Structures are given as C-alpha cells and as structure tokens.
Amino acid sequence: MFNKILIANRGEIAVRVIRTCRRLGIKTVAVFSEVDRQALHVRLADEAYCIGPARPDLSYLNIPNILSVAHATQCDAIHPGYGFLSENPTFAEITQKCGFVFIGPSHRAMERMGQKSVARDLMIRSGVPVMPGSTGSVEDPEEGLKIAHKVGFPVLVKASAGGGGRGMRLVETEDRFRTLFSTAQAEAQSAFGDGRVYVEKYLRNPRHIEVQIMGDHHGNIVALGERECSIQRRHQKLIEESPSPAVNADLRRRLCETAVKAAKAIDYVNAGTIEFLLDADGNFFFMEMNTRLQVEHPVTELVTGYDLVEMQLRVASGEPLPFKQEDIAPHGWAFECRINAEDPANGFSPCPGRINDYLPAGGPWVRVDSAAYTGYAVSPSYDSMVAKLIVWGPDRETAMDRMQAALHEFRVEGIKTTIPFHQWAFGHEEFRAGLLTTGFVDKHQVSMIACMQRADEDERERANGAGGKAVEHGKTQDQNGTGRA
Amino acid sequence: MANMSEKQELAAQLRMLIGEMRNAGFAELEIESADLNVRMVLGSAPASAPAPSPDSELPGKSAEDAAPKPVSVTAERVGVFSFGKQRIEAGSKVSKGQALGIIKGISIQDQVVAPVSGTVDAVFVREGEIIDFGRALFSILPD
C-alpha cells in the first residue's frame, strides 16, 4: 500500500479521498488555488501547497506545478478525483512517466473511451449493444440520411470528439437533416478541432442507468450493481439512486455482464462507470464510459458496503480485488441529492457566495459528503456543488422518507440551493412511484417552479414576520428531532 | 509584485492612522466605504488589533518618510528552493536581475531574480524548503 499520496482536486471529493486515506494510514498532500486557502481539504490533509491562482488552468489543471509538489513531498501516487485532470490521458501518462502511480485506469483505456465513435465501434465489436446508427464517423450527409432512414427518425448527429452536448443536433424530420448535419459538423470542428460526426437513433424519455465496475491488475473485473440517474437537467444529474426501480434481477444480471464485457474490451483497471440508456421495453444501449470515480459513487457504497476509494487505492497499489462477482449482494436502497448553490426557481442559475449558517442533516443512515462549513464562500470559479446528501433505507419507501426528513433538517443560509427542488421531487407522486425518465424535470417544470416560488414566499414571510419567534420554534423542533433520533 | 506593494502601502497608511488615533485620544475607529471596511480598536488585547501584524519586512520608522519601500520577491512556481553558490542574507547588496536562488520543480528549474537593485532586508526562505505559489522569499530595500 502507498505511504503518501497527492490529491489533485478540491472540494468534497478531495475531502472524501482524505478520509479514507486517514483510516488506512496513508498520508495526504492537498493542493489548492489562492482562493481555496481556507478550504476544508487544505485543513484536513497532512500537508497542503498552493499551486496557482483561482483560474483552474493555472492551478488545478497545472500539471507541472502538481507534479512538482508530488515530487518535492515524495508522494507515491496521485488521486485525480473527478473533473479537472481525472479523464486527461496526457496527465495519466506523464504521472506514470514521472514515477508516480496514477490512481485510475491506463491512459490508453482513457483515450479509447474518450473518442466517442471509436468507443462505439469497439463496443459493437465486443458485442455490447449500442444505439442503432452508423458504424464509425460519417462524412457525407447523403450517407448519414440513409442511416437515419434505416434506424428511423428522430436521430442524433453527434460529434465524435464531443461532450457536454456540443456538436450535437437532434433531427426530428428528414427535411431538416442535411442542414443540421452540416451545423453539427461545423460546431464539432470549431469546438473540438475535429469535424467528425456520427448518426444514431434518438430515444425519447429513456432512463439513465449506469453500472459501477472495478478492475484490478490481475485481470479481475467486477460489477457493483447499477445506479439510476434519470433525474437530471441539461445532462447534469441531480438525484441518483441504487438500485433502480426499473431493474429486476434478470435485467441487473444482463446489465452487469454487459458492463464487464465493455470494460474487458479495453483491459480496464480501477473504478469506472458504463452508462446505458434504458427504453420502456427494457432494452438498453451503451452510451459512454466514465473512466474515473463518479460523483454519485456513495449510493453504490451504501448498498454494497464497500468503500470505493479504498478499492481504488488497493487496486492501484497492485492488490487484487478483495471480492468476486458472486460476493456482490446489494442490500437495501440508497439515494443521493446533489445540493448545489443554484436557484431552482430561476432556471437553476448559479448562486455563489458566503454561507452564513451551515447545519448539515444527521441521524441514522444519513451521510453528508461536503467541503462546506459556516463562513465558507462558494467560489464562482468552480462548480456549484455544496454538498451531497446520501441516505440509506431497507427499501425505497423508507429511504425516500429518510431523505425527506434529512432535507427538512439541512440548513444552508446565505445562498440559494437546490434543497427546495429535492423536497419537491421527493414529494412528487411520479417520483415516489419510481416513474423516472431523463425528461422528468422538463416535463414537470411548471409545477416545480410554482412550488419553488411558493417556498420562496413562505421563506420571506417567515423572515418578515415574528423573527424571534421563528428562531425559537426552529430550536424546539431541532431538540425534538434529536430526541427522536 | 504590484499587489504586494499595494498591501504594504495599506499597512503603512493604517500605521499612520493608528498614530493619529493615539494622538487624538480615540479608542475606536470604524471606516466604511465601497471597497474598504475597517474597524480599529486601540488597547492591550492583541486579538482585537485589526491592523495587519507588523511585517518584519516593513521598517519600524514612520511611513511618512520618503524612505524607499521594501519590494517583496515572491515565488511564481512550485518546487524546492536552493540558494545556489552565493548565499543571500539580510544585508546582502543585490543588483537588478541578479539570481537570488532557484526553485526546482519536477522538470523545470526556475531562477529567482532580484526585481530591483538594493539591500536585502529579510530572507523568508531556507535551503531545501518546499515553496508554494505566491510564497514570499525575500524583501529588498531598493537603493
């Protein structure tokens, strides 16, 4: 096992990694930008060094400075977290060449999964179902149109080098195809310097189902069950759960087998996630692979009982996985809510600023992964996630009730957060019935916004009304809550 | 660098203000403007002293003097510091552009050079120390 590692990240994920390292007796080195001097990961790590100004390209993406700290502090390995450099094959390669272990997959595996049309072809050849469409990229719009006819409209024209919806066009009808095909090509060229696009069938209102896998250096790859992440907005996940209410034992077995097959096709090592789209008839299609630890990994930890960061560290140091596929027996139900500094009543616009009062939820089966505290300022330079609230229950119903209770207790004052959104979702009958699709938030947008605005008004009334009385009332409730727990 | 001397400017102004407060017999002063919010309480309790702690790089004498203000030399790279052949100490005379030491990164060596000619009045770094971004290394009193 490692003696000391550097964590090339910030925020809750850096804190998350430090916590497991502390338990395992591994020393940690944090790096930070000038605006993060007071950040929690800086306080919790054994050592911490400033690597540049707030701008990510000058600090958290500054490969020479990060490696210089790792070198000067004699680290054995680097954990990239998620985001920033975590899926940068060049960083993974340089890290290895400089003599440090990169806690993640090989740079070759990252490269192949990063090119979408390459990954798609590889999956087809490995017998993994992909959305019907072209084999490889398409240059000629006439050829693209032929494929569109074959798979049926609507279709997506997607940039091969793409991500985040850029260079992607939804084509509903034949007459719009040629125009939108060239728009996608032009956008891909300007955004990624690579104009290659491919065509695939567009699925209306699918579910987002993903499978967590873990591979070691001894040829073992194990699937740790699925997560459902259908509650999203503009491809940003908001609520995740494991297991999925749409997956039965037979479908779970097929999803897991397929995910392992996909990972084996690239000799995958360490933590990874295979994302699928699931249609209403139970057919699933490979979407992409994330070659890193995911934000939503805690729901898998709560139902499987394994610490995924510990597994990452063990596997990276050369140990074999301590479990086999047949040992994985998910138990109960877990949810995660991403509490972001955003205003859900106002198009989820970012609300950075200082948190005057931070009181996270607690109690049995409640976990909070966060780097926030009272007085912490959410910086506009980085993503807006303040905390992840994760709960476990023996069944979905109980887990939902626990989440509602925990959301009620969670206080983040001074900035707007997505807590009211989560309260709305966990009270929604379709959500409670497990009727989820990636179109859920858009479909219920009007009622959601109305609910947010009502909550806002209530808040204002409380603030304007008997202030002292409200505070006292809140205190009494707290004491009761603690007593019950 | 500009940022550093701005801070020193502010420190000097605050010191002047404290002197004025003592002279006038004020115990407490609060200044609020668009870009500044200062509350100063004079007394023995150091916890309530709002002015920046007296920086060793600042001369003890009053800031009204036309004396040159010290220039701080900060690290713009991350790595291990080494003085090299000649050891710079407080009192060393340096000329603009002169190497004061090097910061060794993983594949880069960066020279730290004197931004002005003058006398080194403080050395904040030790041989072999790990230097992070923005760290103050030397203070130089310009000629």
Side-chain angles (χ1 to χ4, degrees), chain A residues 101-268:
Chain A
V101 174
F102 178 81
I103 302 169
S106 71
H107 68 271
R108 282 181 207 89
M110 262 188 220
E111 255 158 29
R112 289 162 90 183
M113 282 302 178
Q115 270 285 336
K116 288 190 173 176
S117 66
V118 173
R120 191 181 144 85
D121 280 359
L122 189 65
M123 290 302 108
I124 295 172
R125 276 185 307 193
S126 315
V128 172
V130 300
M131 201 57 80
S134 56
T135 323
S137 53
V138 188
E139 268 178 51
D140 180 12
E142 296 312 315
E143 196 198 326
L145 191 55
K146 246 186 249 169
I147 295 162
H149 274 301
K150 206 171 91 193
V151 303
F153 282 92
V155 295
L156 280 176
V157 181
K158 287 166 106 172
S160 178
R166 285 200 296 175
M168 185 161 88
R169 283 292 176 280
L170 171 61
V171 191
E172 301 267 4
T173 52
E174 184 185 340
D175 56 312
R176 300 279 295 140
F177 187 84
R178 287 182 187 84
T179 318
L180 291 169
F181 186 87
S182 0
T183 323
Q185 276 181 323
E187 198 174 296
Q189 182 62 45
S190 75
F192 310 108
D194 179 347
R196 283 178 298 170
V197 296
Y198 63 101
V199 178
E200 65 174 33
K201 180 156 183 61
Y202 176 69
L203 208 56
R204 262 185 226 285
N205 297 327
R207 283 173 181 260
H208 174 120
I209 307 285
E210 58 185 36
V211 176
Q212 174 72 54
I213 62 110
M214 187 63 90
D216 65 17
H217 285 287
H218 306 272
N220 305 305
I221 298 179
V222 171
L224 289 100
E226 83 282 3
R227 293 185 287 257
E228 170 147 15
C229 319
S230 298
I231 304 299
Q232 31 180 276
R233 193 185 155 271
R234 299 204 181 149
H235 304 286
Q236 295 298 310
K237 297 164 186 168
L238 294 164
I239 301 174
E240 299 98 345
E241 60 184 295
S242 185
S244 159
V247 175
N248 60 25
D250 173 57
L251 180 54
R252 177 165 308 117
R253 188 184 45 75
R254 286 188 290 129
L255 279 164
C256 287
E257 280 173 9
T258 308
V260 169
K261 207 191 284 179
K264 284 206 162 136
I266 52 167
D267 298 320
Y268 198 82

Side-chain angles (χ1 to χ4, degrees), chain A residues 34 49-53 64-65 67-69 71-73 100, chain B residues 76-80 104-108 130-134:
Chain A
E34 285 181 318
Y49 298 92
C50 181
I51 49 166
N65 278 2
L67 293 177
S68 292
V69 172
H71 179 68
T73 54
F100 309 108
Chain B
E76 286 174 13
R77 233 179 230 302
V78 173
V80 177
K104 284 184 199 161
I106 190 146
S107 54
I108 322 146
I130 301 171
I131 301 302
D132 54 2
F133 179 84

